[in-house]
Amino acid sequence: MVPSRQAKSSKTVRRVLTGLVVGACLFAGLTGADAQAPAKQPAAAPQATPQVAPQAAPQAVPGFWDPRRRPERPDLSRLTVIRFLTETDYPPFNYTGADGNPAGFNVDLARALCEEIKVTCTVQMRRFETLVDALSSNRGDAIIASMAVSPQLRARVDFTDPYYRVPARFASRKDAVMPEIRPEYLEGKKVGVIAGSAHEAYLKAMFTDAELHPYPNDDAMRAALRKGEVDFIFGDAISLAFWINGTDSGDCCAFSGGPFVESRFFGEGIGIAVRKGNDVLRQALNWALFRVWEKGRYTDLWLRYFSVSPF
């Protein structure tokens, strides 16, 4: 089985990485009443080194760690090196830098974790579909490549706690933005969505009075919104944020309403994969993730890469 990213079916981020990088806001505890109630899978992205957008107004950063659940410091004496595996071409999360070395959000986070654990860190780039096999055959110790946690992958690898998630959101033309979206608000409205996606399944379950218009891919769906053929589109918020703030959108559109985060439809989040049973490394990485967040380094890293909130 080939591992999948969150929103793997939507291979679009690479084609829209021409504008600002995605931003962020507080996500800790964004469930139930905090999320919009009926509550990539990162997608593919262009072969280009992403531009890091300048920071504008201060903004909150997603916090996926509960300060009341501080992990105990594990025994780190058995760790002398961590060989990270990552993907070759998925900016801004993973890409080859101008110097030919691995770069991106995931790569910098891996290095921050190794600094926290005080262990030598290497990062090897491979094609995404080969990562799990490379891990299983001991050609690496951990995968940090925007890999979505799923029951199928849990059968092959163990995961750390999630270090980010991908919500779903609606987008509309700028002259029709709605601050809040509920099922009754979209009665009779035309909503574009990718055919066969989790987003379509969610709309069919929760927005039963909306008029769904399935499209074969993101380009067709977004073009329909840009042309006014649909009132809204619904999809992966990270991909949509790239598009909304990139040149391909022609500055036509914006998010409407807030994020939808129901894990039954939109996944458990993105974690670091380790070999089955490698609890020493998994616990060390969980501890280091918490420490990097607690010290504010995760915030600094997030703001360096992401400036427009998908939440």
Side-chain angles (χ1 to χ4, degrees):
M1 181 195 67
V2 175
S4 63
R5 303 189 193 88
Q6 206 151 340
K8 176 75 171 176
S9 61
S10 147
K11 292 191 176 274
T12 57
V13 173
R14 288 189 176 95
R15 294 196 298 272
V16 295
L17 191 61
T18 53
L20 300 179
V21 220
V22 179
C25 70
L26 186 63
F27 188 74
L30 188 59
T31 56
D34 294 327
Q36 287 222 48
K40 85 122 147 115
Q41 293 164 352
Q47 295 185 359
T49 300
Q51 301 289 323
V52 177
Q55 294 179 28
Q59 56 181 297
V61 174
F64 305 109
W65 298 272
D66 185 346
R68 298 167 298 181
R69 298 180 59 189
R70 177 187 302 273
E72 293 185 7
R73 188 180 191 278
D75 180 6
L76 306 176
S77 62
R78 295 166 58 185
L79 293 176
T80 57
V81 63
I82 301 175
R83 299 170 299 161
F84 278 103
L85 301 171
T86 194
E87 149 136 54
T88 55
D89 183 27
Y90 185 52
F93 296 99
N94 313 96
Y95 60 93
T96 301
D99 60 359
N101 292 318
F105 175 80
N106 285 328
V107 175
D108 285 347
L109 179 59
R111 290 171 175 152
L113 297 177
C114 289
E115 289 175 14
E116 192 63 43
I117 297 172
K118 294 180 171 54
V119 67
T120 301
C121 176
T122 65
V123 181
Q124 178 188 154
M125 304 182 81
R126 304 177 64 92
R127 294 194 319 276
F128 186 81
E129 63 272 15
T130 69
L131 291 174
V132 171
D133 286 341
L135 180 69
S136 300
S137 59
N138 198 29
R139 284 173 281 175
D141 302 309
I143 299 171
I144 185 164
S146 296
M147 186 170 285
V149 179
S150 69
Q152 294 78 12
L153 278 176
R154 283 191 185 278
R156 301 184 64 189
V157 299
D158 288 338
F159 280 98
T160 64
D161 298 333
Y163 63 95
Y164 76 88
R165 288 186 173 88
V166 182
R169 289 191 72 173
F170 288 93
S172 64
R173 292 185 61 83
K174 284 188 170 181
D175 59 3
V177 168
M178 298 176 66
E180 182 181 11
I181 290 187
R182 295 183 179 182
E184 58 268 28
Y185 297 169
L186 298 194
E187 181 177 354
K189 297 291 187 180
K190 298 176 181 178
V191 182
V193 68
I194 300 301
S197 66
H199 301 96
E200 183 185 40
Y202 185 78
L203 292 178
K204 286 181 175 179
M206 302 297 183
F207 287 79
T208 55
D209 293 326
E211 182 182 311
L212 302 191
H213 289 250
Y215 292 92
N217 54 55
D218 284 302
D219 287 344
M221 178 182 72
R222 293 166 183 170
L225 179 63
R226 199 168 55 243
K227 297 173 183 177
E229 296 171 357
V230 294
D231 301 302
F232 299 90
I233 58 177
F234 185 65
D236 167 353
I238 288 184
S239 294
L240 284 174
F242 275 103
W243 176 70
I244 286 170
N245 296 282
T247 57
D248 286 354
S249 70
D251 198 33
C252 70
C253 304
F255 282 127
S256 268
F260 295 81
V261 296
E262 189 173 324
S263 60
R264 181 163 63 97
F265 289 92
F266 308 126
E268 302 176 49
I270 305 300
I272 302 172
V274 301
R275 277 188 297 279
K276 293 291 289 184
N278 192 351
D279 289 341
V280 171
L281 180 54
R282 182 180 59 82
Q283 291 170 4
L285 291 172
N286 275 337
W287 174 80
L289 281 166
F290 184 91
R291 293 280 292 165
V292 166
W293 169 75
E294 185 180 43
K295 291 180 175 181
R297 297 186 66 189
Y298 184 92
T299 297
D300 294 342
L301 182 59
W302 187 275
L303 291 175
R304 177 185 170 195
Y305 282 96
F306 306 119
S307 61
V308 179
S309 175
F311 295 102

